Amino acid sequence: MNDVYYPDLSPLQTGPAGKCPRCGRGKLFEGYLTVADRCTSCGLSYDFADGGDGAAWFVMLFVCVAGVGSILGVEVAYSPPYWVHALIAIPVLIVLPLLLLRPVKGLLINQQWKTGAREGRLHK
């Protein structure tokens, strides 16, 4: 039997980079958010990966706080016209989720693999 050693990798390093949670070399995603079937480097099957809506909820929470905070901060400090708010808020509320969604999803999937988390089941 050919036993291969895989180092204990941190999900904080492999997840945001979109790398395999076991070897840290293969790609986790096929597309922007589509999880690949398996690692191209070590062959780990990604059947365990249940991205669900967790990443979207975390990103929405962070972006809403940052977006509303930036809008309120600009309003309190400068009291600009509404079009300035639109110039600030629209990019913040569109670009930030696009930048954060993939790394957060990778982090959650890699953490799921590391901890062995699975879908809850009722045993009879």
Side-chain angles (χ1 to χ4, degrees), residues 78-115:
Y78 305 108
S79 298
Y82 291 119
W83 64 269
V84 173
H85 283 298
L87 287 176
I88 294 170
I90 291 174
V92 167
L93 297 175
I94 292 175
V95 173
L96 267 179
L98 293 175
L99 292 175
L100 293 175
L101 196 53
R102 183 178 167 138
V104 171
K105 184 173 182 175
L107 173 66
L108 292 178
I109 289 173
N110 284 11
Q111 184 67 29
Q112 181 183 6
W113 182 83
K114 179 155 181 122
T115 60

Side-chain angles (χ1 to χ4, degrees), residues 5-66:
Y5 169 76
Y6 295 104
D8 187 26
L9 300 171
S10 169
L12 290 172
Q13 294 173 336
T14 57
K19 299 297 182 185
C20 172
R22 181 166 68 180
C23 70
R25 292 186 305 267
K27 292 182 178 181
L28 183 62
F29 298 104
E30 280 182 340
Y32 177 61
L33 291 174
T34 305
V35 179
D37 292 330
R38 63 183 52 254
C39 175
T40 55
S41 182
C42 70
L44 174 67
S45 174
Y46 295 144
D47 287 340
F48 69 89
D50 179 21
D53 294 333
W57 280 102
F58 284 119
V59 168
M60 281 191 305
L61 175 67
F62 175 76
V63 169
C64 286
V65 169

